[in-house]
């Protein structure tokens, strides 16, 4: 598969000829009003059930899908550079969905990975990609990448991202970022080689805040592989996009890139309003990313601005129903992200992971990227252990019913929800790992063992 | 309409986010200069209530923005009259606010902008991807007292530090307080780069700006976090 250049040109044309808006008017008069209208039209107001964070109602999920589809057509994507909206009609949105692959392979040799459409409660194994682009220092980057790639449940890599390159800060949008894209590709390949997993696919480029990192690292000699790695296009939250994202799209065209990961966020409490509007927004934005960026792996998780994560009841509910809506009504390879706020060496991080991963597995998500250890706030606050746990739970939850996932959420959310605003940092990689031997500290290992036992007791079939 | 009725309708109008009606009520309220301070206080209290509700998740961004715009429509008309009536400037201070260079995240900055504007600050919006020199030039041209810098990524945070460094090298560090914030921006980082203010959320950003202006300390003399000054 290759990226359709004519569709790319059409998108660029729309970004320069679509209806013009002021920033504020697009947010208030287009996004907020269209989402509110969709919620009203499909009778979705107050359908969020915080007591049951995982939706089990197919009809409700399908109504959400229709609301999201309508909203996608009404809203479009606002290009901040041109102040114009890239908008599609119903047939165009549907054609883009139909043209997206229902499955595809990435990687090489015995490390090839099948990304495939899943439906809610689907027994097909999902794909686990680690970690998110959490900043790390150069001294720990390589050991961490190797340690993560050694985890059997890990299928692909995305982060971490580099805080510095050769001792210099990676200033986004600068030539440093351009170099960082290339430098990170080399570190990734070396870490993968040391782990004995040559050929493993990578989401490229984790250190590319703007397009410069992608230009430096993707499709260049010694960099990421256009036929075997995903090119990451992460748009601005809540229906905005930019030249930075469009440059990544055109770079996929000129380098012969095959598959695009198009994703973003919708802010719960932001322009979308409460959980119902946010779920509709997540669906609408997902469909627009498919239409705009030809996303092969696409998803828009919610992000609750109250605590900057999505493991609380309202966000889990919105995430579950939105994922079910898309996975039930399309053949897309749905992508999502669990946004924990607690850091390594806390039980809370593992509880957040348990709730989020079972919800996503049961709701038809094909590929989760995680873990957002310590909310991604702190340099070097991630370890291999929480990623091992995330993968174990995600794979074990393939085939899990939504009823069961909901029981897990009801049981474990109360263990941490009061601490969501406090965001416990936990400990850094160096503080809770023996970096030389790549083993967790006894304290962190004990927490893992205890939460793992709790998960098994709750019916998660961990090996 | 008597003063009590006017105050009650103004409260409801701001909560409903009715900009046009807020302007009408402003024209009505300036007809009674003696009663104007009390009416303005109702507007201030109401927008603080909206801000608190936003902070606790009881209302969302669209409602808060519409309320803030109604508040601004009211204050635009009422402020000159209030200054005449009380002899005091009605603006709390001027803030140049932007998301730093290389960073195009907008929503956090927009929430802070809305809260500051609604709290009486005159805010100059630099938008996103704002370079250190452009921010500084704008702060000089607009005679702002505070520069607010949002960064949502570890790779854009260095531009907060570079803005402060540039102020120092240009010999104007003592002209502007610099407040920083954003998801990965910790209080320790703010202290390390020599910021004057740090806020983890929009409500705190308003308190930090108020404390910076009221504190009497010069820029570059310690960090204000909304809880007070620390070293």
């Amino acid at each position: 598969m290759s990226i359709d250049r004519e569709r790319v040109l059409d998108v660029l044309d729309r970004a320069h000829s679509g209806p013009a808006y002021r920033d504020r008017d697009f947010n208030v008069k287009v996004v907020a009003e269209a989402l509110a209208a969709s919620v009203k039209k499909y009778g979705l107001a107050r359908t969020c059930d915080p007591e049951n964070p995982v939706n089990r109602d197919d009809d409700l999920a399908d109504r959400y899908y229709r609301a999201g589809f309508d909203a996608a057509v009404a809203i479009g994507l606002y290009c901040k550079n041109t102040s114009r909206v890239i908008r599609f009609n119903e047939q165009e949105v549907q054609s883009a969905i139909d043209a997206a692959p229902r499955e595809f392979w990435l990687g090489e040799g015995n490390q090839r990975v099948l990304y495939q459409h899943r439906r809610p409660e689907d027994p097909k194994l999902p794909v686990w990609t680690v970690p998110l682009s959490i900043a790390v220092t150069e001294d720990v980057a390589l050991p961490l990448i190797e340690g993560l790639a050694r985890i059997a449940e890990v299928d692909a890599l995305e982060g971490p991202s580099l805080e510095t390159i050769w001792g210099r800060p990676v200033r986004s949008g600068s030539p440093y970022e351009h170099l960082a894209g290339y430098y990170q590709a080399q570190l990734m390949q070396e870490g993968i080689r040391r782990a004995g997993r040559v050929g493993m696919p990578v989401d490229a480029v984790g250190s590319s805040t703007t397009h410069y990192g992608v230009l430096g690292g993707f499709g260049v000699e010694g960099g990421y592989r256009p036929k075997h790695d995903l090119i990451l296009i992460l748009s601005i939250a809540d229906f905005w996009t930019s030249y930075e994202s469009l440059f990544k799209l055109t770079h996929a065209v000129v380098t012969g890139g095959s598959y695009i990961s198009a994703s973003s966020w919708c802010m719960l409490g932001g322009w979308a309003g409460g959980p119902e509007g946010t779920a509709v927004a997540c669906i609408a934005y997902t469909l627009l990313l498919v239409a705009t960026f030809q996303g092969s792996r696409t998803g828009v998780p919610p992000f609750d601005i109250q605590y900057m994560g999505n493991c609380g009841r309202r966000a889990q509910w919105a995430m579950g129903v939105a994922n079910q809506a898309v996975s039930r009504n399309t053949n897309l390879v749905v992508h999502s992200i669990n946004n924990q706020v607690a850091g390594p060496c806390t039980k809370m991080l593992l509880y957040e992971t348990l709730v989020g991963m079972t919800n996503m597995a049961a709701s038809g998500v094909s590929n989760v990227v995680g873990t957002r250890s310590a909310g991604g706030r702190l340099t070097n606050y991630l370890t291999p252990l929480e990623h091992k746990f995330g993968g174990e739970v995600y794979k074990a939850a393939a085939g899990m019913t939504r009823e069961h996932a909901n029981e897990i959420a009801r049981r474990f959310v109360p263990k941490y929800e009061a601490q969501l605003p406090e965001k416990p940092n936990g400990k850094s990689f160096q503080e809770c790992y023996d970096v030389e031997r790549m083993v967790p500290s006894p304290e962190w290992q004990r927490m893992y063992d205890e939460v793992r036992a709790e998960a098994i007791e709750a019916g998660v079939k961990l090996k | 309409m008597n003063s009590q009725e006017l105050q009650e309708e103004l409260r409801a109008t701001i909560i409903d986010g009715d900009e046009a009606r807020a302007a009408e009520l402003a024209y009505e309220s300036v007809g009674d200069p003696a009663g104007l301070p009390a009416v303005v206080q109702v507007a201030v209290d109401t927008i603080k209530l909206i801000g608190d509700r936003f902070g606790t998740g009881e209302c969302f961004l669209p409602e808060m923005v519409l309320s803030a715009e109604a508040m601004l429509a009211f204050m635009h008309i009422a402020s000159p009259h209030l200054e005449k009536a009380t002899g005091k400037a009605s603006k709390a201070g001027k803030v140049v606010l932007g998301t730093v260079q290389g960073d195009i995240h907008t929503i956090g900055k927009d929430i802070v902008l809305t809260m500051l504007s609604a709290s009486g600050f005159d805010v100059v919006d630099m938008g996103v991807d704002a370079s250190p020199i452009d921010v500084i030039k704008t702060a000089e041209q607009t005679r702002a007292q505070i520069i607010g810098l949002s960064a949502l990524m570890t790779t854009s945070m260095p531009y907060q530090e570079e803005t402060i460094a540039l102020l120092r090298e240009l010999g104007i560090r003592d002209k502007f307080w610099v407040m920083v914030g954003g998801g990965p921006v910790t209080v320790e980082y703010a202290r390390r780069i020599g910021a004057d203010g740090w806020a983890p959320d929009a409500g705190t950003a308003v308190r930090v700006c108020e404390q910076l202006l009221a504190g009497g300390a010069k820029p570059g003399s310690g960090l204000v976090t909304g809880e007070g000054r620390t070293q």
Side-chain angles (χ1 to χ4, degrees):
Chain A
M1 182 167 173
S2 60
I3 307 306
D4 183 338
R5 190 190 62 210
E6 286 305 313
R7 280 182 61 193
V8 172
L9 286 167
D10 177 62
V11 163
L12 295 179
D13 292 344
R14 290 174 198 235
H16 291 84
S17 62
Y21 288 91
R22 290 189 174 86
D23 297 356
R24 177 266 181 208
D25 289 348
F26 179 74
N27 289 332
V28 175
K29 293 196 176 298
V30 179
V31 175
E33 287 188 8
L35 292 171
S38 267
V39 167
K40 187 175 179 186
K41 179 180 174 185
Y42 290 94
L44 304 176
R46 288 182 289 282
T47 52
C48 171
D49 179 5
E51 294 305 310
N52 293 287
V54 180
N55 174 59
R56 289 101 59 225
D57 181 342
D58 284 343
D59 175 65
L60 184 62
D62 294 347
R63 276 161 53 208
Y64 265 92
Y65 182 77
R66 292 195 295 277
F69 193 102
D70 281 6
V73 172
I75 296 172
L77 290 193
Y78 182 68
C79 178
K80 83 169 181 68
N81 304 81
T82 61
S83 299
R84 292 183 182 278
V85 178
I86 302 166
R87 199 166 271 160
F88 303 92
N89 64 31
E90 282 182 31
Q91 291 74 26
E92 289 166 337
V93 172
Q94 189 58 52
S95 295
I97 295 166
D98 294 342
R102 64 174 297 141
E103 64 177 44
F104 57 94
W105 291 86
L106 288 174
E108 293 179 276
N110 63 2
Q111 296 300 322
R112 289 181 83 211
V113 175
L114 176 63
Y115 294 70
Q116 56 188 333
H117 171 72
R118 295 177 72 243
R119 289 177 61 83
E121 307 180 5
D122 201 320
K124 279 188 272 187
L125 273 183
V127 177
W128 177 225
T129 304
V130 305
L132 283 159
S133 295
I134 298 168
V136 298
T137 50
E138 285 175 80
D139 58 323
V140 303
L142 194 51
L144 253 176
I145 293 166
E146 180 186 344
L148 291 162
R150 282 188 183 279
I151 299 168
E153 292 79 8
V154 167
D155 301 299
L157 293 181
E158 181 171 309
S161 64
L162 298 166
E163 187 176 68
T164 57
I165 52 166
W166 298 289
R168 282 87 162 173
V170 181
R171 296 167 173 85
S172 58
S174 78
Y176 293 102
E177 185 189 324
H178 191 228
L179 279 174
Y182 185 68
Y183 183 36
Q184 192 195 32
Q186 294 190 318
L187 283 178
M188 287 291 215
Q189 285 161 12
E190 178 59 16
I192 287 169
R193 187 192 66 76
R194 290 185 185 184
R197 298 192 68 177
V198 172
M200 179 183 247
V202 180
D203 300 353
V205 175
S207 289
S208 188
T209 303
T210 71
H211 50 294
Y212 289 109
V214 166
L215 297 181
F218 189 86
V220 300
E221 184 70 32
Y224 296 106
R225 308 155 295 179
K227 299 295 177 204
H228 304 293
D229 296 324
L230 266 178
I231 189 161
L232 279 176
I233 300 180
L234 183 63
S235 281
I236 319 171
D238 294 333
F239 302 96
W240 279 42
T241 192
S242 65
Y243 274 177
E244 285 84 355
S245 294
L246 293 169
F247 267 124
K248 292 178 183 177
L249 179 63
T250 53
H251 190 64
V253 173
V254 301
T255 56
S258 301
Y259 296 102
I260 284 173
S261 170
S263 56
S264 187
W265 306 100
C266 280
M267 299 293 174
L268 201 168
W271 298 113
E276 296 87 357
T278 302
V280 173
C282 290
I283 298 159
Y285 201 175
T286 297
L287 303 183
L288 286 166
L289 291 174
V290 173
T292 306
F293 294 105
Q294 302 179 44
S296 298
R297 179 192 82 172
T298 315
V300 177
F303 203 89
D304 193 328
I305 58 178
Q306 287 294 310
Y307 54 86
M308 302 305 279
N310 66 15
C311 295
R313 292 173 185 272
R314 297 187 312 168
Q316 280 294 309
W317 190 90
M319 185 160 72
V321 79
N323 286 328
Q324 291 168 32
V326 177
S327 65
R328 278 180 51 79
N329 289 279
T330 73
N331 286 323
L332 296 173
V333 174
V334 177
H335 153 64
S336 198
I337 294 176
N338 200 189
N339 283 284
Q340 299 89 338
V341 299
C345 211
T346 66
K347 279 192 172 183
M348 180 171 168
L349 173 58
L350 302 177
Y351 289 139
E352 289 181 280
T353 302
L354 176 58
V355 169
M357 297 306 275
T358 48
N359 183 358
M360 288 187 283
S363 295
V365 175
S366 304
N367 175 212
V368 173
V369 184
T371 305
R372 197 176 294 282
S373 313
R377 300 180 301 275
L378 302 166
T379 301
N380 291 341
Y381 273 67
L382 75 164
T383 78
L385 193 59
E386 68 269 22
H387 295 85
K388 176 177 171 57
F389 182 71
E392 288 175 328
V393 171
Y394 192 27
K395 307 253 171 173
M400 180 181 278
T401 64
R402 284 166 285 176
E403 195 65 51
H404 189 178
N406 185 52
E407 284 168 23
I408 288 170
R410 286 170 58 91
R411 181 166 172 174
F412 288 96
V413 169
K415 288 180 181 282
Y416 63 78
E417 61 186 331
Q419 287 183 281
L420 286 169
E422 296 162 20
K423 307 183 186 73
N425 288 338
K427 294 184 176 178
S428 71
F429 175 51
Q430 297 97 320
E431 289 170 334
C432 65
Y433 247 74
D434 180 333
V435 179
E436 289 285 309
R437 295 168 50 232
M438 197 51 70
V439 292
S441 67
E443 179 189 23
W444 187 205
Q445 181 68 47
R446 178 178 47 76
M447 290 180 187
Y448 164 84
D449 291 339
E450 288 174 3
V451 175
R452 198 174 187 281
E454 288 183 72
I456 291 169
E457 205 269 322
V460 182
K461 294 184 171 57
L462 297 172
K463 289 174 187 166
Chain B
M1 192 182 321
N2 64 35
S3 178
Q4 189 61 36
E5 288 168 342
L6 193 150
Q7 289 178 26
E8 281 173 18
E9 186 169 353
L10 179 61
R11 191 191 320 272
T13 298
I14 291 174
I15 289 172
D16 290 346
D18 187 341
E19 193 175 348
R21 183 61 187 147
E24 290 170 5
L25 291 172
Y27 283 119
E28 202 160 319
S29 64
V30 299
D32 174 17
L36 185 58
V39 179
V40 169
Q41 191 57 48
V42 166
V44 170
D45 291 346
T46 304
I47 205 67
K48 281 191 172 155
L49 174 72
I50 296 290
D52 290 344
R53 285 183 183 173
F54 179 76
T56 56
E58 293 168 79
C59 90
F60 306 116
L61 191 53
E63 294 97 305
M64 188 172 77
V65 166
L66 292 175
S67 291
E69 288 177 353
M71 169 75 173
L72 291 174
F74 174 83
M75 291 303 293
H76 180 69
I77 295 157
S79 287
H81 297 270
L82 184 68
E83 287 173 19
K84 269 191 211 162
T86 63
K88 292 180 192 165
S90 59
K91 283 288 178 189
K94 185 171 280 186
V95 182
V96 167
L97 183 69
T99 302
V100 297
Q101 185 173 332
D103 195 331
I104 52 179
H105 290 87
T106 185
I107 197 165
K109 182 266 298 172
D110 289 343
I111 294 170
V112 173
L113 187 151
T114 302
M115 293 282 279
L116 284 172
S117 300
S119 302
F121 285 88
D122 187 0
V123 187
V124 180
D125 184 9
M126 294 291 296
V128 298
D129 195 17
S131 74
I133 191 62
D134 285 347
V135 169
I136 291 170
K137 279 181 187 169
T138 304
E140 285 185 309
Q141 286 162 3
T142 59
R143 298 178 182 276
Q145 294 113 323
I146 299 172
I147 291 172
L149 300 171
S150 173
L152 266 292
M153 297 172 302
T154 51
T155 51
S156 62
M157 285 164 56
Y159 292 112
Q160 294 180 325
E161 184 173 13
E162 288 181 18
T163 305
I164 294 170
L166 197 54
L167 285 169
R168 279 200 203 97
E169 289 185 40
L170 295 173
I172 51 173
R173 178 66 186 93
D174 61 346
K175 303 287 186 205
F176 307 100
W177 284 287
V178 180
M179 175 178 69
V180 297
V185 179
T186 62
V187 66
E188 293 80 13
Y189 177 77
R191 188 174 291 116
R192 185 171 72 69
I193 66 173
D196 302 297
W198 170 81
D201 55 61
T204 310
V206 174
R207 283 205 302 280
V208 166
C209 287
E210 289 168 346
Q211 288 174 2
L212 287 171
L213 292 171
K218 285 176 67 175
S221 55
L223 186 68
V224 167
T225 63
E227 305 299 326
R229 185 171 291 278
T230 64
Q231 288 300 321

